[in-house]
């Protein structure tokens, strides 16, 4: 089935997945970091202090995700998304009104938990459950919500910063989330029966069984994949979190740098679709390890770039990795561990990912305070990516033999 026909036949469910991913933008680092300068000025914070607040709030959200993410195994997307969006709306309002650096920790916690954590979790689990044979394509199409948010929102909000106070802009973000609630309810008025909840269409994982989260944590393969899950989140988050610092060190204009986001997004979009096709055509096991390589190459180029055009090349290559990672990793959990307990399993992976996004800004901010600029940190970070690719490849090579015949083909 071609992408266009698939899109037409499943438009309501794919649009719902798109909207979930898009709305997660208001809790994503690339959006929050747009206000880094104003936040540090308002609360008199250094890079390290702001990074520390972000790390604490995000770490707390990662811990909470272990429990909250499993709710996707118990409740349908329509009902759960309503409450998550309501809470995300209040989190945006809280950011618009917070007056204390201490309370800022809890605001970051709420934004990260409801935005990056639960909205992303809902989108990923829904696509993995609603589709089996076309899972890769479904994930790639829904993931366009992430790409659209990253391409559109920074340009709009950075442009509005010229004339509108940053707190009012967080009020605007709250309105955007609020408006998405009735749209989601209409799209899922007749929600598709999750295939993983229907006994005759369940997807089995390794050893022809459905794995629980406890099983996942006891199996060696998960630990082979830790750098693959942790790395893109930790250092990718740091890349966007430190974008104000990066442009200052490099002597680039922030507006010019943000204007590169559409090119970055096009790379994400292109390789999201290519990866979705490759997952359905060749199997996820052949795709996952290679997704780390563009991340490492992108960081090497950004570290040495002296011009905005050089930064554009680095961001585009980094975007290739993002496009691959968003689709392949999401599909991986369903293929290797089955779909019955997918919410709990994905919650563990999401918690690890969110934890990565917590430590990335904290570690890089600390090094910046010690006089080591973020560009100087990029070279060792790139080798982390390359090492993670090798480790993931070795783990998958060892355990792919345990996949059901239908998944290992």
């Amino acid at each position: 089935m071609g992408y266009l026909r698939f899109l037409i036949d499943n438009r309501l469910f794919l649009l719902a997945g798109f909207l979930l991913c898009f709305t997660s933008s208001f809790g994503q680092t690339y959006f929050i970091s747009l206000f880094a300068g104003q936040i540090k000025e308002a609360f008199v914070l250094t890079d390290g202090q702001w990074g520390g607040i972000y790390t604490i709030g995000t770490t707390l959200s990662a811990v909470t995700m272990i429990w909250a993410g499993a709710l996707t195994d118990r409740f349908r997307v329509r009902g759960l998304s309503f409450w998550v969006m309501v809470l995300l709306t209040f989190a945006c309002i809280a950011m618009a009104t917070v007056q204390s650096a201490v309370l800022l920790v809890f605001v970051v916690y709420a934004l990260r938990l409801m935005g990056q954590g639960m909205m992303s979790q809902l989108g990923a689990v829904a696509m993995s459950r609603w589709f089996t044979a076309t899972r890769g394509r479904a994930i790639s199409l829904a993931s366009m919500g992430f790409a659209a948010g990253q391409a559109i929102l920074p340009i709009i909000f950075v442009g509005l910063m010229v004339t509108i106070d940053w707190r009012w802009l967080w009020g605007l973000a709250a309105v955007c989330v609020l408006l998405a609630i009735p749209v989601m309810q209409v799209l899922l008025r007749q929600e598709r029966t999750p295939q993983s909840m229907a006994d005759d269409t369940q997807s089995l994982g390794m050893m022809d069984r459905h794995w629980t989260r406890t099983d996942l944590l006891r199996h060696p393969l998960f630990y082979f994949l830790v750098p693959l899950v942790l790395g893109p989140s930790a250092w990718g988050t740091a890349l966007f979190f430190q974008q104000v610092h990066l442009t200052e060190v490099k002597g680039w204009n922030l507006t010019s740098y943000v204007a590169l986001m559409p090119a970055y997004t096009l790379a994400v979009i292109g390789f999201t679709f290519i990866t979705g096709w490759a997952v359905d055509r060749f199997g996820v096991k052949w795709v996952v390890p290679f997704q780390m390589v563009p991340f490492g190459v992108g960081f090497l180029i950004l570290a040495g770039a002296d011009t905005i055009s050089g930064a554009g090349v680095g961001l585009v290559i980094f975007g290739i990795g993002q496009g691959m990672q968003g689709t392949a990793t999401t599909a991986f959990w369903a293929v290797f561990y089955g779909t019955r307990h997918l919410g709990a399993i994905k919650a563990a992976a999401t918690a690890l990912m969110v934890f990565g996004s917590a430590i990335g800004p904290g570690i890089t901010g600390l090094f910046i305070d010690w006089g080591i600029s973020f560009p100087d940190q990029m070279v060792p970070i790139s080798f982390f990516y390359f090492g993670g690719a090798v480790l993931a490849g070795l783990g998958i090579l060892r355990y792919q033999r345990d996949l059901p015949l239908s998944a290992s083909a």
Side-chain angles (χ1 to χ4, degrees):
M1 183 189 300
Y3 265 111
L4 183 58
R5 173 50 55 189
F6 177 73
L7 175 61
I8 293 172
D9 291 345
N10 299 279
R11 58 191 179 279
L12 294 181
F13 309 110
L14 293 172
L15 185 56
F18 176 94
L19 186 59
L20 288 168
C21 294
F22 181 86
T23 310
S24 77
S25 298
F26 301 104
Q28 299 282 4
T29 298
Y30 69 78
F31 184 80
I32 298 173
S33 66
L34 296 174
F35 304 89
Q38 292 93 331
I39 290 172
K40 287 187 293 182
E41 181 180 354
F43 297 99
V44 195
L45 301 172
T46 66
D47 286 293
Q49 289 170 335
W50 167 227
I53 288 172
Y54 201 79
T55 294
I56 294 171
T58 305
T59 300
L60 291 173
S61 74
V63 173
T64 308
M65 269 302 299
I66 297 174
W67 167 80
L71 294 174
T72 54
D73 286 333
R74 299 175 55 193
F75 301 100
R76 287 183 176 271
V77 175
R78 187 173 190 262
L80 191 55
S81 65
F82 173 83
W83 292 109
V84 172
M85 286 180 167
V86 167
L87 292 173
L88 180 57
T89 300
F90 281 113
C92 291
I93 294 172
M95 179 60 94
T97 57
V98 64
Q99 299 296 325
S100 164
V102 174
L103 294 178
L104 187 60
V105 173
F106 298 99
V107 175
V108 170
Y109 162 76
L111 285 170
R112 301 293 278 155
L113 175 62
M114 296 302 155
Q116 184 204 25
M118 287 302 293
M119 293 301 293
S120 299
Q121 167 86 349
L122 281 164
V125 171
M127 294 302 101
S128 296
R129 279 185 164 158
W130 290 345
F131 303 93
T132 300
T134 54
R135 182 178 290 131
R137 272 170 282 186
I139 294 170
S140 65
L141 286 165
S143 295
M144 290 302 96
F146 293 125
Q150 201 153 10
I152 298 170
L153 294 178
I155 293 175
I156 293 175
F157 278 79
V158 168
L160 291 174
M161 281 181 192
V162 177
T163 56
I164 302 177
D165 183 75
W166 69 277
R167 291 185 182 274
W168 282 105
L169 291 179
W170 276 103
L172 176 61
V175 172
C176 292
V177 179
L178 195 63
L179 292 174
I181 295 176
V183 178
M184 179 63 63
Q185 295 300 298
V186 171
L187 289 173
L188 295 181
R189 186 165 42 193
Q190 293 181 320
E191 185 174 339
R192 183 173 187 145
T193 300
Q195 292 178 329
S196 62
M197 294 181 181
D199 291 337
D200 58 342
T201 56
Q202 288 177 349
S203 298
L204 297 168
M206 293 180 292
M207 303 177 186
D208 290 315
R209 52 180 284 211
H210 288 288
W211 292 64
T212 65
R213 183 162 60 194
T214 301
D215 296 331
L216 168 84
L217 296 176
R218 289 175 177 172
H219 193 265
L221 178 58
F222 178 74
Y223 299 96
F224 276 94
L225 298 168
V226 166
L228 182 140
V229 176
L230 198 66
S233 176
W235 312 124
T237 297
L239 174 61
F240 291 103
F241 186 83
Q242 304 294 1
Q243 60 187 348
V244 174
H245 163 81
L246 176 64
T247 55
E248 290 174 352
V249 171
K250 293 284 190 176
W252 299 331
N253 180 270
L254 178 60
T255 303
S256 299
Y257 182 79
V258 170
L260 297 172
M261 289 303 116
Y264 159 84
T265 303
L266 286 175
V268 174
I269 292 172
F271 274 81
T272 295
F273 285 116
I274 291 171
T275 305
W277 168 82
V279 165
D280 291 340
R281 177 67 177 83
F282 303 110
V284 72
K285 65 182 182 182
W286 300 111
V287 179
V288 167
F290 296 101
Q291 71 192 39
M292 295 288 275
V293 176
F295 288 123
V297 174
F299 261 59
L300 284 176
I301 293 175
L302 283 165
D306 294 322
T307 63
I308 277 289
S309 60
V313 173
L315 283 173
V316 166
I317 295 176
F318 188 85
I320 291 172
Q322 288 284 62
M324 296 177 69
Q325 190 253 355
T327 301
T329 306
T330 299
F332 179 87
W333 306 113
V335 171
F336 274 74
Y337 296 101
T339 53
R340 179 176 294 167
H341 307 290
L342 183 61
I345 287 172
K346 183 70 172 59
T350 300
L352 182 60
M353 178 267 293
V354 174
F355 177 69
S357 69
I359 63 174
I363 291 173
T364 55
L366 189 62
F367 276 108
I368 289 170
D369 280 358
W370 288 347
I372 303 174
S373 71
F374 186 57
D376 289 338
Q377 299 175 43
M378 285 180 162
V379 174
I381 289 173
S382 69
F383 287 100
F384 180 98
Y385 282 122
F386 297 140
V390 172
L391 194 62
L394 291 174
I396 292 173
L397 185 65
R398 164 63 182 84
Y399 292 104
Q400 57 91 21
R401 68 190 69 170
D402 295 331
L403 288 171
L405 291 177
S406 59
S408 59

